[in-house]
Amino acid sequence: IDVHHHIFLDALKKVEKNTDVGWITPPENLPWQPSSSIAAMGTMGIQTAFLSPPPFTSAVPSAENRAEVRQLNIYASQLCVAYPGRFGFFAGLPHLDDVQGAISEITFAMDHLAADGIALISSYGEGRWPVRFRAPFIHQQHLSDDSYDPVWDELNRRHAVVFLHGAHTPSSTPYPHPFLGLPITEVPNETYKAAAHLVVTGKKRRFPNVKIILAHLGGSMPFLAPRVAVLSHHMGCPLTPTEILQDFGSFYFETALSSHPTTLAALETFVPVDHILFGSDYPAVNTAMAGWYTKHLEEYYASKPSTLDCILRNNALSLFPRLQKSEIVTVSATSVQAHDTQ
């Protein structure tokens, strides 16, 4: 069961964004179609994939942003209906500065579209303007900013699952090399910063009913959490170092592009195994790239088959009970082609 599987509706927009952030989506994965994911899932041995939007944000709230998010969520829900047992989805939200729009979309997605959870990114706004605009900064807020508390209140009330992905946001310095674009260098740190912000502001404790899955094994978080524990407490965080580490350990983690003996060994000492889920990050990567990490995951837990089963499947079944009722069906070529043309 793959909890990290993107849906790209606009191939041209994705290619343009790739240029900005320093990434090349495998050309065979664009334009994305449901049939692409079905085929890749077959190759990777994935029964069910949870679709989520790419981790981008609009610069500012707008009616167009609301409409674009709504369109994507409706389409994702249609795929879940068309291919029962094969897809779930995490609904996207409009720019969180549009607080009422975000809450309305939570209501619509969860009550009318049967979304399995909500996809959030680490910050909203685009950070730096491109140089051509000759303005150094644009408004940007981190995910646990106080102004977003009404959104968290709603998620907490609903006991929602949140899939949290680092945003493709430029840092204070450009990425260092074409081989080290934002998805490689910045996105893992954005995930860490979002998790750390939730912890040190007390929001992770304030909204305990929200189950947050951190993409990519939490990015750099497992290695930097002890640093936060002592130094943030020194800087005035009222939580003790022990409490800070407890809150970091209460997240869920998924394995996309991160499984390796080094990272898995670190995570094992930090969180219970029932908080680790499987992810692929298809179609941002191809099946060979995703498979490299899955191979390391399977080899690492080769002597612990029950633990491997939990990570690959059973933990997701516990987090998403509806999957236990799903039936696997054979998807006909005709039905796949019909949705490919939508």
Side-chain angles (χ1 to χ4, degrees):
I1 297 173
D2 180 5
V3 301
H4 189 159
H5 198 108
H6 291 298
I7 178 171
F8 301 150
L9 283 189
D10 190 331
L12 179 60
K13 183 177 179 179
K14 183 68 174 72
V15 170
E16 291 174 348
K17 190 68 176 180
N18 282 349
T19 301
D20 292 338
V21 304
W23 180 248
I24 300 172
T25 300
E28 66 271 23
N29 293 355
L30 292 176
W32 178 86
Q33 303 284 4
S35 58
S36 305
S37 282
I38 293 293
M41 290 160 65
T43 299
M44 294 187 284
I46 294 169
Q47 171 188 312
T48 302
F50 285 86
L51 303 171
S52 58
F56 305 142
T57 176
S58 62
V60 293
S62 65
E64 291 77 13
N65 180 221
R66 282 192 182 191
E68 181 180 14
V69 169
R70 176 64 58 88
Q71 177 191 12
L72 183 64
N73 289 339
I74 290 174
Y75 182 57
S77 72
Q78 290 172 340
L79 294 180
C80 295
V81 172
Y83 312 135
R86 303 313 308 274
F87 291 125
F89 84 104
F90 300 126
L93 298 183
H95 195 301
L96 290 199
D97 280 12
D98 180 8
V99 172
Q100 189 53 55
I103 293 174
S104 296
E105 195 62 28
I106 292 171
T107 300
F108 180 78
M110 301 197 79
D111 292 349
H112 299 284
L113 300 181
D116 295 285
I118 299 296
L120 296 176
I121 58 177
S122 55
S123 60
Y124 288 81
E126 292 189 339
R128 284 180 170 269
W129 278 107
V131 173
R132 64 183 179 273
F133 292 125
R134 299 182 179 179
F137 293 103
I138 190 172
H139 175 73
Q140 182 184 13
Q141 299 276 30
H142 285 282
L143 183 61
S144 51
D145 188 85
D146 290 346
S147 63
Y148 300 155
D149 282 359
V151 176
W152 285 105
D153 280 325
E154 180 64 13
L155 294 170
N156 192 64
R157 184 183 71 82
R158 290 176 172 272
H159 293 245
V161 175
V162 164
F163 177 64
L164 173 53
H165 198 297
H168 287 163
T169 303
S171 68
S172 57
T173 56
Y175 57 84
H177 190 276
F179 297 165
L180 296 170
L182 297 186
I184 301 170
T185 57
E186 294 301 322
V187 167
N189 287 319
E190 287 294 316
T191 305
Y192 149 69
K193 287 192 289 185
H197 199 205
L198 284 163
V199 169
V200 302
T201 58
K203 301 294 174 71
K204 190 69 176 68
R205 292 190 168 217
R206 180 176 166 186
F207 305 111
N209 298 329
V210 185
K211 301 177 182 67
I212 302 173
I213 304 169
L214 299 180
H216 308 299
L217 291 184
S220 51
M221 194 216 79
F223 305 96
L224 294 179
R227 184 181 181 90
V228 176
V230 174
L231 302 189
S232 292
H233 179 69
H234 164 73
M235 293 301 293
C237 177
L239 299 175
T240 67
T242 298
E243 289 172 330
I244 289 172
L245 289 175
Q246 287 173 344
D247 287 358
F248 272 123
S250 68
F251 289 100
Y252 288 78
F253 299 79
E254 62 84 17
T255 64
L257 311 187
S258 303
S259 292
H260 185 271
T262 302
T263 51
L264 294 169
L267 196 66
E268 265 193 325
T269 67
F270 195 64
V271 299
V273 70
D274 62 0
H275 277 221
I276 306 174
L277 308 163
F278 174 78
S280 73
D281 210 355
Y282 185 87
V285 298
N286 59 32
T287 56
M289 295 160 73
W292 189 89
Y293 295 96
T294 303
K295 176 176 177 288
H296 279 291
L297 177 67
E298 292 173 340
E299 289 177 349
Y300 185 81
Y301 287 108
S303 63
K304 301 177 181 178
S306 62
T307 299
L308 181 62
D309 286 345
C310 286
I311 293 171
L312 293 178
R313 178 181 175 86
N314 295 338
N315 292 342
L317 289 175
S318 297
L319 196 58
F320 304 100
R322 77 156 184 87
L323 293 181
Q324 299 178 28
K325 303 175 183 178
S326 297
E327 295 182 1
I328 304 306
V329 297
T330 300
V331 181
S332 71
T334 302
S335 86
V336 171
Q337 290 169 1
H339 280 82
D340 280 352
T341 60
Q342 289 187 12

